[in-house]
Amino acid sequence: MNNALNRVLANQYARRLMWPVLVLLVLIAVNIAVTGFDFIWPHVSDGRLSGAFVNILRRSAPLLLIALGMTLVIATKGIDLSVGAVYAIGAAIACQTIIDGTDQSAAGLIFRAVAIALVATAVIGAWNGTMVAYFGIQPIVATLILMIAGRGIAQLVTGGQIPKVQDSSPFTELGRGEILTVPVPIWIAAAVFAALVLLTRRTALGMLLEAVGGNPEASRLAGIRSKGITVLVYLVCGLCAGLAGLIGAANLGSADANNGGLWIELDAILAVVIGGTSLLGGRFYLLGTAIGVVIIGTLGDTIINIGLSDQWQFTVKAIVVFIVALLQSPEFRAWVFKPFKRRPAAPAAAPAEEVLAK
Amino acid sequence: MSAALVSMTGIVKDFTGVRALDGVDFTLRPGEIHAVMGENGAGKSTLIKVLTGVHAHDAGEILLDGKPVRFNSPGAAQAAGIATVYQEVNLTENLSVAENLLAGREPRLGPFINFRAMRRKAKALLDDLGIDLNVAAPLSSYSIAMQQLVAIARAVDIDAKVLILDEPTSSLDRDEVAVLLGLMRRLAAERGTAMVFISHFLEQVYDICDRMTVLRNGKLVGEWATADLPESELIGHMLGREAAALEQLERSVAGHEVADEAPLLSAKGLGRKGSIAPYDLDVRRGEVVGLAGLLGSGRTETVRLIAGADRADSGSLSFDGAKVAGHNPRTAAARGIAFCPENRKTEGLVGDLTVAENMILAMQAARGWARTIPQSQRNRVVAEFIDKLGIRPGDPDMPVKNLSGGNQQKVLLARWMLIEPKLLILDEPTRGIDVGAKADIQKLVAELSGEGMAVLFVSAELDEVTRLSDRIAVLRDRELISVLESEADMTTERIVDTIVAGGGSE
Amino acid sequence: MSTQTLTERPARSTLFDGMTRYIPIGATVALLLALYFGGVANYRNFDKPQVIANLFIDNAPLLVIAVGMTFVILSGGIDLSVGSVMAFSTMTCAWLTVEAGLSAPLVVALVLVFGTGWGLLIGAVIHYFNVQPFIATLVGLFLFRGLTLQISTSDMSMREVKFFQWGMTHVEVGGGIRQGGFWLPYLSFAAIAVVAVAFVVLHYTRFGRGVYAVGGNEQSALLMGLPVARTKIGVYVVSGFCASLAGVLAAFATKSADPLRHVGAELDAIAAVVIGGTLLTGGAGFVLGTLAGVMVWGLLNTLIQFQGNLSSWWARIVMGVLLLAFILLQRGLARSGEKRRT
Amino acid sequence: MKRRSLAGIGAGAGAALFTLSACGEDSGGDGNGGGGDGYVIGFSQVGAESAWRTANSKSVQDAAAADDRITELKFDDGQQDQEKQIAAVRSFINQAVDAIVIAPVVETGWTDVLTEASDAGIPVVLADRGVEAADEDLYVTRLGSDFEAEGRSAGEWAATTFATTPDFKILELTGTTGSAPANDRKAGFFAVLDEKGVAYTLVDSQTGNFTAEEGKATMETFITTHGLDGIQLLYAHNDEMGLGAIQAIEESGKAPGTDIQIIIVDGSKAGFQAGVDGKVNYIVECNPAFGEQLMDVVVDVIEGGSPEKFTPVEEGVFGPDQFEAELPNRQF
């Protein structure tokens, strides 16, 4: 029984992940063909792991954090457009707190800065969740408000300046340091990934989330605290965005309220969708999201490696996303791979639903 | 006998691996009313959807007036004179009644819709059918029953040669059913419209249909003239077993002792403005209380207040000896009140989740997200209830949306039985499900109450209510008007009398 | 046939129900008036008619994409590609006339055909391949920004092209600003014409009513025999056309093309549509509400300009807070108008 | 009843704006100005996209507040959107200000709105960036940096420093693709190298969008793609990108300023600090603090003066030996 359950789950996951994994492998293969095996094979220099692929992972860490939070939000049928602004707020609060301190290397100060930033971003996330769950405002609108105002808040925190933390401050280790030769951002992202996987799959949170996203009213009548869960999920998403902002700020040693994490929400949503989670809510795939993030990260390097100019960034990203989106569409696959079987002009809505019911 | 108007032969339809229709033949003659009968999953709806262009068939032939046709959209079928009314109202609530009636066929001035002419035409159309509505009002301002009549009026107006009615009466009350059946007779007689009628109400089928085609498991069982097929034989054909077995089930249900003690649940002056007038209601352990009344009489509203699904704005509720405060579905479940809502799909199940997940949802919700049900316990209880309730297919990992209505209802019941409630509230648990599952559920209700569980039971079918209930609360116009207690009062006739009398007293 | 007549009063009076539909737009108009008179009371020169005229001049392109967005949102979809399509259209206008030397009217026609064609393509992908509109149009957002940058990485002037002088040619009413009159350029009239046409199409044609029907309940619309495919694809065609037209209007407005222009315009358009009372879930809203929404958006900016001492960040925060206030207001009204049906 | 509450809330929201906007008020200003004896000036700023820009806004606002001749400065942030800037200028015309200052986000597309200002008799002064040459008659003067000259300064230092390097290899981090500073700083730099006949190879040139974040990411990609060996010079179009790149270089185990020489443009505090630390070799200043100079020009223009078409802002270039002395003078 248990085995059967695991097998089916594995299959379901495998089916969802097949296309993104294929696309990622193609991208990696292209890079290896152009720059050699060094692309994928890391080496240790100066006591830290480096290499093109490790760099991609390290740089993708903030996006991964945000995309993971976004996955949970999307699972509840929501969306969070404010993560880019929250990223900037988290970065701004942390850096400003540190440069306002006397000794920028004091552990207490850094701890306080990180704590204040995370609490503030969690509060912002909870605010978004409250707007959605308790005021019944559509998620896209509720979070649009903070998307507009958020960067203003971040600038207010920094007074429009770009606070620069001393390079000697241990705060920068969050973005630049390494533990056991592996860069800290990768550790943080991996830890959050593992924590979220455990949180959602080892407890019942994942199932309850999927229930709330799949059918909010049924979930309410089944006695699920759906409002509480919704707030929790937006809170986690805000927290992830704030943490991503901290990593970004630590990496640079400064916080740019205007440009930090600009349009990262779109990349995060793309990563979630590439990873197989539907924007309509319900089932979610954290591993798929991680793969989606790596695809997006690898894409940027691929463009430079194959010698295309920077202007291709957007175009190539669009094309890759289009391909993944189409490959994930059963209708498209049927159309392409079974050209001889005519389909009805009007696609029957959810044929699967009809199978046994009628 | 006149030549066939519609002739379907050897129709085959597959849905990714499942054969929904397997070589079905169907013949419809001009001016006849023809019932398609079968359990849920027999293929009735698929047959209709193939005929109306919603689904494309994989093999077979459809002749309309002797000419082969193949519709690739409902629009194309309508254009060829085949109109359909579905069980669930398929109109758009945000548009006005007139627009819904005439959408796609609006009277126009040049390229523009002539709203004045449209309203006039819509008004005339409804007047003709004996329906009086404000055609300019949004459809959403009318009850579901009225919306269904509008849907029928729309189909009639298409001037169809063939009118298909798929469970049109499931949300209508008696008067409305009478209007509909009268309308059908008139259309058949005056316009020679051929009609396909699908209904679970055998009484209506026998009342109006000329012929019947019976399907079972996607295959054709046969076609009979109504007069040649007694009810018991029909049921036998539909179920594929002897009708006697069914009757035995029904008999086993009635009669058991109710513990004579303080009520488990006691509502005093419970009410909600605009929804249900304040009412008093007691339910004791081991008792089945039925709620009877016409559609819109406030049955669902009554039980939703008790279940905590809606907030009461007057009165008080006590349960199990304690006063209930801060009532909502979660606290209700914690107290031992389980509620199976009326609409399985939108309020009950989460379609994407598996059978197992849907079953343990309430149990898990009660424990909170942090305390997961251990895997072994979960597998055990799920397997136990799949077996106990006879859920088919018995795969705990299948998404619940792929199950038939009856099996979905059983999953929902299992969800609540898992938390071992003291009071089980069932709102229309047998609506739209096949005869076999219906009997299973009725039997289960009787068993549970026998074990000491209190049950509140809402059903549109008075037969079912009288058969199962120890007491019956009768509602009318959003008011609880009477509670029938004695054995002698528990008849369909008595309930109808009560409803009529309740109206007279006002 | 039974002679009995079935009568049912609507669950609420039709008068009220008719009104419920107009509450969001009524709120928008009330807010618009409140903002305007607040401005008049607080700032000198705010009562000049040109202040209102400027709303139609500066927001003409936004108005046009917001109208296209209204169609899409009414049908239950969303179009994130409009800002990029707009920038791409402006850039193409400049490139084809200045670099390639094609005749301007031909170029404008080509651009409009192109925008329409893009809408057709993405609408077909959304409908036939069931790709979520958010993602399909997000592809457009990236794709056209990229293509625009590939045409030119810097801004490009087309002031030498005679044809583009037409847009800012203006009509003066009441003898110019100094005599207390105002002026409006042709491109404002073009934008107003788009609103008028959209209004007629949405309310008086089968396509328009089909948009409402599909947005209300797509499955029902299909079963009612309405041309769902044509309608769903049609709204993206309208939006694509509007986006390219807005790009052309932007070309008229500045006679220059900038590859980084209109970044985030889709969000402005969505905000304007939402402020205008159209529900993002589809099926309910009015194009005139969108007009009011664009006016509110423009008026907020005007107020910030007249205030003149808001720092960059306070301006953004004020914008966000006002949007919040508005949405809560709208939500409160909608909730009080909600009802439980049986 | 419904309608009354609706109007009430509407009025409430309106009141909220006016209360809120008061929060942004700087110094109990007399609000709507114009009535006094001083001048009212409208200033349409690009946005707040960088520390340089914020310093610039602050310099202008402070200078206006301190200047007795000026009653009020109407400041509007265009959020890097030309249409917002044009709308702001139209609004200034409506407000009948005495002069308009524009810091244009792009060079083209200003003809109509400048004509409108000139029809209304309001003089226009450009700050920082310029507009296309054809519109020259429509504004009085431009006060700002000469980006091409900045590029040329950087180019001259590079040409001198690496005149004899046999295989002179350059990496370039450009500003936002398509922006005037990015275009001009690039053009000026390579024009000088070409004029002087320096034999160089431009190994790669990618945008860092004027931000530290992207500057660092792009540099990392440079390092993995090309390596740093044999590359002599990194030319970064602004401080922030340069500082980001320095981190990337340090993380790859090389020493910025030594293993690879670095030129940055702007000259912020952080940039000079890096110079003092020996990580930057040459800084071309781009001075944002021209508020007072701007006020003088504007008042002169209002009072009928006709200054030169282009008034350059005082800007310097700084080599390694000047960094330490200059650091305390930095304002942003």
Side-chain angles (χ1 to χ4, degrees), chain D residues 296-308:
Chain D
D296 289 338
V297 171
V298 170
V299 171
D300 179 39
V301 165
I302 295 173
E303 289 173 352
S306 49
E308 294 284 307

Side-chain angles (χ1 to χ4, degrees), chain B residues 276-480:
Chain B
I276 178 82
Y279 61 89
D280 298 343
L281 186 68
D282 290 349
V283 183
R284 280 178 279 275
R285 282 175 222 279
E287 184 182 47
V288 179
V289 176
L291 270 77
L294 301 179
L295 191 101
S297 59
R299 302 177 311 219
T300 296
E301 290 76 359
T302 305
V303 293
R304 281 181 71 95
L305 290 188
I306 293 174
D310 290 335
R311 198 174 288 273
D313 52 15
S314 69
S316 66
L317 188 66
S318 62
F319 185 77
D320 210 6
K323 209 161 154 58
V324 174
H327 204 34
N328 65 41
R330 189 169 46 78
T331 55
R335 288 193 176 90
I337 301 176
F339 174 48
C340 286
E342 180 182 14
N343 196 330
R344 280 189 302 275
K345 238 186 225 166
T346 61
E347 297 179 322
L349 298 164
V350 184
D352 277 339
L353 295 190
T354 63
V355 170
E357 287 172 321
N358 267 292
M359 276 192 190
I360 62 163
L361 203 56
M363 195 179 177
Q364 185 66 63
R367 296 167 70 110
W369 58 266
R371 286 175 54 224
T372 319
I373 301 165
Q375 192 75 35
S376 56
Q377 186 193 351
R378 170 186 152 136
N379 291 342
R380 187 168 44 74
V381 295
V382 167
E384 181 192 326
F385 274 90
I386 285 179
D387 190 48
K388 186 170 175 185
L389 299 182
I391 294 169
R392 294 285 167 270
D395 177 1
D397 298 317
M398 178 176 271
V400 78
K401 67 184 176 194
N402 291 355
L403 267 57
S404 71
N407 284 307
Q408 288 184 347
Q409 188 66 48
K410 289 177 182 173
V411 171
L412 196 53
L413 273 168
R415 174 192 294 173
W416 290 113
M417 287 166 65
L418 272 172
I419 68 162
E420 293 168 356
K422 299 190 184 98
L423 170 66
L424 180 62
I425 301 172
L426 301 170
D427 193 355
E428 298 275 16
T430 60
R431 182 205 277 188
I433 68 176
D434 56 87
V435 178
K438 203 173 200 165
D440 286 350
I441 288 174
Q442 290 174 357
K443 200 172 101 189
L444 187 71
V445 168
E447 271 174 28
L448 290 173
S449 69
E451 290 164 13
M453 193 184 290
V455 180
L456 249 179
F457 184 85
V458 173
S459 174
E461 287 181 55
L462 296 183
D463 286 348
E464 192 175 62
V465 177
T466 50
R467 198 157 59 232
L468 282 172
S469 305
D470 299 309
R471 289 189 298 138
I472 298 173
V474 182
L475 294 107
R476 184 195 155 105
D477 292 337
R478 299 173 186 280
E479 210 175 322
L480 199 160

